[in-house]
Amino acid sequence: MTRQRRIVSRSAWLGERRAFLEQEKQLTRLRDELSEKRRALPWVEVEEPYVFDGPNGKTTLLDLFEGKSQLVVHHFMFAPDWEAGCKSCSFWGDSFDGAVLHLAARDVSFTAVSRAPYPKLRAYAGRLGFTFPWVSSGDNGFNATYGVYFTPEAIAQGEESYNYGTFRVQGSDMPGVSVFARDDERIFHTYSTYGRGIDALNVTYRLLDLVPNGRDESARPMTWVRRNDEYAADRAS
């Protein structure tokens, strides 16, 4: 429902808008400072020989760089026994296809990684029209290493936490983004973020933050979100 708004003159609006612009500039400067500090974080060498399943069969972590020096991985929630990928991760996925070409121009490769078998990923990508690279980590410990997979036993015992320990997990798979860099064949983990840390990757959320009603999610975030082929069915029902 649209919120009640103050109605003012154009000149009064401009005065308030200019004052708010100063706060926006402060946030922009702070974001730039944090980005610089993020780039200055230390690196950890990846020693595990991870092998994934993809469109070309067995694929190593080095292969995912596709000759680039940097790699962004989206940890897409899709467990092996699920019939469909997470609807929220699918919401994020709708933002990625257009970025892949531009990232490549800046020496950055992109891929999504999920635990589901590759044939399931391929079919689901075809259903939603995704064309970004996507591989299966079902046969390795990649998801566990980078904090997005948790065993049922550990969850039941209350031993697992997510986002560097900020809260306890309740499911086996969680979302996130991890970044890697390489020096020839040596690979390094440089950064990971989880929870609301991945908000900035969602173009739709960025646009909703501009409109008067905002995200309009109250206490239950993303309950309104549907996979991109489900909105028409909702309208028809």
Side-chain angles (χ1 to χ4, degrees), residues 16-29:
E16 293 200 29
R17 178 65 187 92
R18 285 172 178 144
F20 183 63
L21 178 62
E22 290 305 310
Q23 297 181 55
E24 289 183 320
K25 287 184 176 181
Q26 291 176 22
L27 176 60
T28 298
R29 287 190 289 269

Side-chain angles (χ1 to χ4, degrees), residues 86 111-112 133 148 159 170-171 183:
C86 163
T111 190
V148 291
E159 296 176 352
Q170 298 180 346
D183 180 3

Side-chain angles (χ1 to χ4, degrees), residues 32-161:
D32 288 344
E33 290 174 11
L34 287 174
S35 294
E36 186 65 28
K37 291 179 179 179
R38 181 183 301 113
R39 290 189 289 269
L41 287 171
W43 296 2
V44 177
E45 187 161 6
V46 178
E47 298 180 346
E48 180 72 23
Y50 297 109
V51 177
F52 305 87
D53 288 319
N56 300 315
K58 297 300 180 181
T59 302
T60 66
L61 184 59
L62 184 63
D63 292 333
L64 298 181
F65 281 81
E66 296 184 331
K68 311 295 190 297
S69 71
Q70 302 158 101
L71 169 67
V72 176
V73 171
H74 172 54
H75 300 290
F76 194 118
M77 294 169 60
F78 198 155
D81 58 336
W82 295 1
E83 292 307 312
C86 163
K87 70 170 186 174
S88 296
C89 289
S90 302
F91 179 33
W92 260 255
D94 287 323
S95 297
F96 295 147
D97 278 333
V100 172
L101 180 65
H102 299 288
L103 290 172
R106 301 304 297 165
D107 195 30
V108 180
S109 183
F110 175 92
T111 190
V113 174
S114 302
R115 292 193 306 118
Y118 178 70
K120 277 191 175 183
L121 305 182
R122 182 181 59 215
Y124 189 68
R127 169 187 161 183
L128 298 188
F130 295 154
T131 61
F132 54 80
W134 199 352
V135 296
S136 171
S137 60
D139 292 333
N140 66 49
F142 184 80
N143 290 50
T145 299
Y146 295 102
V148 291
Y149 169 64
F150 312 93
T151 66
E153 295 77 17
I155 295 171
Q157 295 173 19
E159 296 176 352
E160 295 286 13
S161 59

Side-chain angles (χ1 to χ4, degrees), residues 4-15:
Q4 186 65 37
R5 296 293 178 179
R6 291 179 295 125
I7 307 300
V8 300
S9 67
R10 181 68 177 175
S11 60
W13 182 88
L14 284 171

